[in-house]
Amino acid sequence: ALALLTTIVNRFYSDTSKTCVNHKSVYLTSFDIDQKFSQSSDFSDSPPVLLKTHARLIPRFFYQLCIFRDPLSCFVSYYNMYLSQNHSKSSKLTFECFLDAKDCINQYKQFYNSYLLDSDRFRRIQFVSYEELIHAFPKVVSEISICMLGIYLSPEDLGALMSDFSKPNFKKVEDIYATRDFRRFKKDSLNTSFISNRSFLDEDDVNPSTRELIYTSLHEQINLLSSK
């Protein structure tokens, strides 16, 4: 989402005929178990046009875009990523132990409550689901662009963006890095060997009791995020 908004800014923001504002600071966030962004960071001297973090709500930003995802999908994805990056330490780490060690449920709850329970009604926050970005890309991008950047995209603009962000184009970029980033050669051979021998967790294979615990514990947040 950040790459998408950055592309919109780079391509269209200088064309004042497409914009209804001269400048807006935009804060883009998505959930991550490990909160890595400093809440005390000061941007008063030079506020960014776009800022991507995994932090909870930061009151100093007026326009905010909060990306959310089904909690089970989120936790399974994070678990699989953790396994792929920490395989020497996690060969026997179960999904249930991971949920407990990372305090996933409480972290998810606290993260989204910081946005959902924000009392400042003048703050402009858009909640966008990961699934909606995938399945209704043109509609979501058009609405985000208008509300947060003041940029009106034509059908032709949207078509060009969809082409830019296609999977084949992303694969081309990764293929180039695969041959030009010399750090990858030895590391990737190890990771490939590990991944080929490791069966990552699929959502359908999650223990029913664990699934029920996740959805029951986050029932309130899920209902608020899915309400339209």
Side-chain angles (χ1 to χ4, degrees):
L2 176 67
L4 174 62
L5 290 178
T6 301
T7 298
I8 294 174
V9 169
N10 290 339
R11 181 176 296 176
F12 303 113
Y13 207 73
S14 60
D15 185 353
T16 56
S17 67
K18 292 179 179 290
T19 66
C20 62
V21 291
N22 293 322
H23 177 79
K24 290 182 180 180
S25 293
V26 177
Y27 168 54
L28 171 71
T29 188
S30 57
F31 174 68
D32 186 68
I33 303 294
D34 302 311
Q35 298 286 303
K36 300 173 183 175
F37 179 76
S38 172
Q39 294 278 343
S40 61
S41 298
D42 185 7
F43 300 100
S44 56
D45 293 335
S46 181
V49 174
L50 296 173
L51 175 65
K52 161 70 166 65
T53 83
H54 290 297
R56 299 181 180 95
L57 183 135
I58 301 178
R60 66 169 61 92
F61 292 96
F62 183 71
Y63 296 91
Q64 306 200 24
L65 175 64
C66 183
I67 310 296
F68 65 93
R69 188 177 183 181
D70 175 89
L72 178 63
S73 299
C74 181
F75 299 156
V76 168
S77 175
Y78 188 56
Y79 171 70
N80 286 332
M81 183 189 73
Y82 184 85
L83 292 183
S84 67
Q85 295 181 351
N86 300 273
H87 55 272
S88 62
K89 303 177 183 178
S90 57
S91 59
K92 297 182 179 180
L93 179 67
T94 66
F95 181 60
E96 287 72 22
C97 288
F98 175 81
L99 288 178
D100 184 60
K102 291 292 187 177
D103 196 24
C104 293
I105 292 175
N106 284 330
Q107 290 287 350
Y108 188 99
K109 185 181 299 184
Q110 292 170 19
F111 177 88
Y112 286 110
N113 276 349
S114 73
Y115 292 91
L116 292 167
L117 304 181
D118 176 39
S119 60
D120 186 352
R121 298 304 176 186
F122 291 100
R123 194 186 331 279
R124 310 290 282 186
I125 302 177
Q126 285 193 67
F127 294 90
V128 177
S129 75
Y130 173 87
E131 292 77 13
E132 190 179 14
L133 273 172
I134 293 175
H135 299 297
F137 184 86
K139 175 178 180 291
V140 174
V141 170
S142 179
E143 292 176 350
I144 291 174
S145 180
I146 291 172
C147 293
M148 303 198 74
L149 300 174
I151 297 175
Y152 295 85
L153 300 175
S154 69
E156 291 75 20
D157 294 334
L158 284 170
L161 285 169
M162 291 180 69
S163 175
D164 288 347
F165 283 83
S166 65
K167 285 186 178 180
N169 278 348
F170 274 111
K171 187 177 184 305
K172 287 179 184 177
V173 172
E174 288 305 311
D175 288 344
I176 293 173
Y177 272 107
T179 60
R180 301 238 178 233
D181 186 348
F182 301 142
R183 301 169 302 169
R184 292 189 175 199
F185 295 150
K186 184 176 180 180
K187 183 178 178 181
D188 278 358
S189 65
L190 293 174
N191 284 345
T192 301
S193 174
F194 166 72
I195 291 172
S196 64
N197 295 320
R198 177 78 192 214
S199 178
F200 288 118
L201 182 68
D202 187 89
E203 290 177 37
D204 294 335
D205 297 327
V206 173
N207 188 296
S209 61
T210 302
R211 180 188 298 268
E212 183 179 1
L213 173 65
I214 291 172
Y215 286 121
T216 300
S217 301
L218 298 172
H219 176 74
E220 180 180 354
Q221 288 72 33
I222 293 170
N223 281 347
L224 288 172
L225 290 168
S226 61
S227 63
K228 294 218 177 213

